[in-house]
Amino acid sequence: MDLQLKGRRTLVTGSSSGIGEGIARMLAQEGCAVVVHGRNRERAETVAAEIKAAGVAIGDLSTDEGAAAVHAEALAALGGNIEILINNAGGSSTGNTTKTPIEISPADWISNYHTNTLAAVRLCGLAVPDMVAAQWGRVINVSSAVAVQPNNMGADYSGAKAALNNFTLSLAGSLKGVGVTANTVSPGIIMVDGMLRFGRQKYGDPNLTIEGVTQRLAADKVFDLPPAGRLGTPQDLALVICMLASPMSGFITGANYRVDGGQVRTV
Ligand SMILES: NC(=O)c1ccc[n+]([C@@H]2O[C@H](COP(=O)([O-])OP(=O)(O)OC[C@H]3O[C@@H](n4cnc5c(N)ncnc54)[C@H](OP(=O)(O)O)[C@@H]3O)[C@@H](O)[C@H]2O)c1
């Protein structure tokens, strides 16, 4: 199927590694002009060269200044406005995976809010007016399964992702009849390089494969495998994002697509 993505000017935030890299790679394969983003220029340029991207945009999205710099560099690389904005950058900025809600400080909540909610709010504020003027655009925000099914630990991260879901629905509702859609994609546990490194270090075996790390972590109850029987991959996410980015998906807006192998138990 031709998703009609050829030449579409696209920014994928947090695409210097992990899920974002997988998304950028698949969108580039579909013909999008992709800008790769991260905080580290060397890492972003390595990915950009590999996927034949339109360029890179560097900056910390947890600040207004950083987001403005990313937006400006992306526009320069694309030679026009951003048509497809994938707000993927994020992750727990505090790493509070073992802290209960009352052990997490207000400062930690604010930190995660800046990284996981406001990063997207900032870029939408900069890029969406141009989409509206052009009467076409796609905003896809990468949230998390924990936004709707939080763990007992790490509430500062899951709370920030829940706010992102809320923002996306309001944004979609406000963009009535202007050809711009806004959706959320919510990953379950996705095996990215960081997790592979963590597993290899934890078990002292640098040769452990993704399957090996997954089995060991599941056996040690670090997580439960979802009904799909495996962890997700960046490609699992990228597939859904390519679909939502397509001009053929104009009737899908305000939705939250779960890509979690069946992890979230809800109807
Ligand atoms: N992996 C999972 O299991 C999982 C599950 C649910 C949701 N998610 C979400 O999926 C997204 C991608 O996660 P990942 O697992 O692929 O993580 P990752 O491999 O650590 O990649 C995170 C990316 O975001 C960028 N980033 C992080 N904080 C940033 C900031 N303040 N400003 C600008 N860029 C920033 C990083 O850039 P640098 O190169 O500069 O570090 C990197 O490119 C995140 O939003 C995460 O919350 C992941």
Side-chain angles (χ1 to χ4, degrees):
M1 185 189 291
D2 177 10
L3 291 174
Q4 302 169 12
L5 286 168
K6 284 186 187 59
R8 291 283 178 189
R9 295 184 294 274
T10 304
L11 170 63
V12 184
T13 71
S15 45
S16 56
S17 68
I19 293 173
E21 180 183 339
I23 296 167
R25 196 176 288 277
M26 202 179 281
L27 285 168
Q29 280 165 359
E30 289 299 316
C32 287
V34 174
V35 167
V36 174
H37 160 264
R39 286 166 298 186
N40 179 294
R41 189 172 289 277
E42 206 183 317
R43 269 207 300 275
E45 280 177 348
T46 302
V47 173
E50 264 180 47
I51 69 170
K52 298 186 173 47
V56 298
I58 308 303
D60 184 347
L61 296 174
S62 67
T63 69
D64 291 353
E65 302 72 34
V70 169
H71 181 248
E73 198 175 355
L75 293 195
L78 293 170
N81 77 301
I82 297 166
E83 297 180 287
I84 300 171
L85 171 62
I86 316 292
N87 287 306
N88 162 78
S92 176
S93 59
T94 54
N96 281 335
T97 49
T98 57
K99 285 193 183 170
T100 65
I102 54 169
E103 291 168 337
I104 296 175
S105 71
D108 283 358
W109 273 87
I110 290 167
S111 168
N112 266 298
Y113 201 63
H114 275 295
T115 306
N116 290 288
T117 315
L118 298 183
V121 170
R122 291 182 179 104
L123 278 181
C124 286
L126 293 163
V128 170
D130 285 340
M131 295 181 190
V132 172
Q135 295 281 289
W136 196 86
R138 295 283 181 265
V139 176
I140 301 165
N141 293 331
V142 177
S143 182
S144 169
V146 299
V148 297
Q149 188 169 276
N151 299 322
N152 296 338
M153 312 298 168
D156 50 344
Y157 169 69
S158 44
K161 289 296 195 187
L164 179 65
N165 291 14
N166 207 295
F167 165 72
T168 314
L169 193 54
S170 294
L171 179 65
S174 72
L175 294 169
K176 211 168 197 160
V178 294
V180 182
T181 65
N183 291 290
T184 306
V185 174
S186 293
I189 304 176
I190 308 299
M191 184 53 86
V192 293
D193 284 350
M195 204 181 299
L196 191 60
R197 277 197 303 275
F198 164 77
R200 285 174 172 171
Q201 210 168 11
K202 181 175 168 68
Y203 299 113
D205 182 353
N207 299 317
L208 267 182
T209 59
I210 287 178
E211 291 74 23
V213 168
T214 303
Q215 279 162 13
R216 299 281 296 266
L217 292 174
D220 285 349
K221 293 277 168 222
V222 175
F223 50 68
D224 288 323
L225 278 182
R230 64 169 177 85
L231 299 187
T233 64
Q235 291 70 34
D236 291 322
L237 268 292
L239 192 67
V240 172
I241 285 177
C242 284
M243 178 196 76
L244 291 173
S246 166
M248 292 185 279
S249 294
F251 196 58
I252 305 173
T253 193
N256 178 10
Y257 273 74
R258 303 197 311 256
V259 185
D260 61 10
Q263 177 188 329
V264 171
R265 301 280 299 153
T266 187
V267 290

